[in-house]
Amino acid sequence: MASPRVQDPRPDVEVARADAPMGQMLARRWPALAELPDPHELWIARESGGAVRGAMVVDLYPVPMRVQGCPVMLLVDEDEGAPAACAALLHQAEATARRLGRRALYAWDSVPCDSPEQRFWHALGFESNAKLTHYQTALSAYLDLLTPMYDALTVRGHVPISARVVPLSESPLGEVIQLQMNHIGGDAGRLESRLRGKGWYPFDPQISHVALLDGRVCGFVLTVRDRRGGVLVESKVVAPSARRTWVNVAVMEEAAQAAKRAGITRIRFLAAARHQDTHRLALKAREAMERVDLMMRRVGAAL
């Protein structure tokens, strides 16, 4: 991926919203545009009304970080017109962010350290924000670690009689949404859609599991099927009153057992610097980290 230099938008580069037929045409050129979350805006850059030189998707839901911003996907041809197309599209993205009251732009996906993708976004004025460690391990190794821990908690009486761990499909979704919003944030509408198995990257309703104590949600693990035939743990939340108890191990073990029954053999999960429990668990699962990714963010006076 080439690294276009930062520059001001050129007056001969036009930016316009893409309608549905244009979006379908662009998806044949850039397959990443084939499936997009709603709501979003799709923009194109042309040179003086001529051929399309680039496209941009702006996700209208905010990134749930301290500095809220819009996720942006940039798609440009690697030629001499790329810098002008990128500049014009990012100028439009800044205008969209201002209209929505957002203070930053975020790259659509996190990127590997020292990669062409990182250099691409850095050249456009984006800086690395949070590091995410990507772990991947065999599901069998994960269960070899978790099952004895869960069994020991049960035998020693640390799991209350009134406790249950159920699939997401059998849980009170309203309480799951509230716990997620309280501790991670995001958009409640999109979260509910994903919890119901709909929308962009829906959560797996049978592999995701929820812990209940006296019928109330006290923790959960939310998973999605990835494109490589494995499962990704996207979110794990334990209520403050239930931390350092049976809940953390129980939801992970039950979810892993459900994944095994579904024929899944690999599990992936992400951890930021503050997720020390996840780092320790990954190392105990006897597999080194896969890679460290960076979240790229642009915060500027223009926003």
Side-chain angles (χ1 to χ4, degrees), residues 55-241:
M56 175 185 69
V57 182
V58 181
D59 190 341
L60 301 186
Y61 280 126
V63 173
M65 302 289 287
R66 184 177 59 84
V67 180
Q68 287 197 345
C70 296
V72 174
M73 180 193 300
L74 272 178
L75 299 164
V76 294
D77 295 327
E78 296 185 13
D79 56 25
E80 69 281 356
C86 285
L89 291 167
L90 285 176
H91 185 72
Q92 176 58 53
E94 290 172 348
T96 299
R98 285 195 302 272
R99 189 184 80 236
L100 297 173
R102 312 277 163 72
R103 298 172 50 207
L105 300 177
Y106 287 87
W108 192 270
D109 294 310
S110 57
V111 300
C113 290
D114 300 320
S115 65
E117 292 84 0
Q118 182 190 1
R119 290 189 287 274
F120 173 86
W121 290 106
H122 188 264
L124 293 171
F126 286 68
E127 297 180 348
S128 60
N129 181 27
K131 287 188 177 181
L132 291 173
T133 304
H134 285 225
Y135 289 107
Q136 178 176 226
T137 189
L139 188 64
S140 58
Y142 192 60
L143 281 168
D144 286 346
L145 177 67
L146 288 172
T147 301
M149 294 170 62
Y150 192 24
D151 289 346
L153 288 170
T154 303
V155 169
R156 294 170 185 167
H158 295 310
V159 181
I161 295 175
S162 61
R164 289 194 305 140
V165 182
V166 300
L168 176 64
S169 60
E170 301 173 18
S171 69
L173 294 188
E175 292 185 34
V176 173
I177 292 170
Q178 190 61 57
L179 192 59
Q180 171 94 349
M181 296 299 294
N182 287 346
H183 297 282
I184 294 182
D187 179 84
R190 177 178 289 188
L191 176 60
E192 180 178 8
S193 177
R194 297 182 68 200
L195 290 171
R196 294 186 182 281
K198 302 174 182 178
W200 182 248
Y201 285 119
F203 294 116
D204 190 294
Q206 299 304 318
I207 296 177
S208 303
H209 270 67
V210 178
L212 305 172
L213 184 60
D214 297 320
R216 302 298 302 274
V217 172
C218 56
F220 56 77
V221 59
L222 301 178
T223 65
V224 296
R225 301 283 190 111
D226 67 26
R227 295 172 182 173
R228 294 181 282 181
V231 66
L232 169 67
V233 176
E234 181 178 311
S235 177
K236 179 169 67 69
V237 178
V238 177
S241 61

Side-chain angles (χ1 to χ4, degrees), residues 16-70:
R17 283 285 297 271
D19 57 17
M22 174 62 74
Q24 294 171 2
M25 184 191 74
L26 293 173
R28 292 193 289 271
R29 181 171 175 179
W30 290 297
L33 298 176
E35 294 184 34
L36 296 172
D38 286 321
H40 67 269
E41 292 181 359
L42 176 59
W43 296 84
I44 57 173
R46 301 177 184 270
E47 285 194 356
S48 300
V52 173
R53 305 306 302 269
M56 175 185 69
V57 182
V58 181
D59 190 341
L60 301 186
Y61 280 126
V63 173
M65 302 289 287
R66 184 177 59 84
V67 180
Q68 287 197 345
C70 296

Side-chain angles (χ1 to χ4, degrees), residues 241-291:
S241 61
R243 290 172 186 167
R244 300 185 181 277
T245 69
W246 59 276
V247 174
N248 189 47
V249 172
V251 292
M252 292 190 298
E253 206 273 346
E254 294 283 3
Q257 292 287 2
K260 180 180 178 180
R261 291 192 294 271
I264 291 170
T265 60
R266 307 290 296 178
I267 188 167
R268 293 193 301 130
F269 42 102
L270 314 179
R274 67 182 184 277
H275 300 140
Q276 291 303 310
D277 287 348
T278 303
H279 293 293
R280 286 192 291 268
L281 182 66
L283 294 176
K284 287 179 181 178
R286 304 190 306 277
E287 196 161 331
M289 71 178 177
E290 189 179 49
R291 67 179 189 270

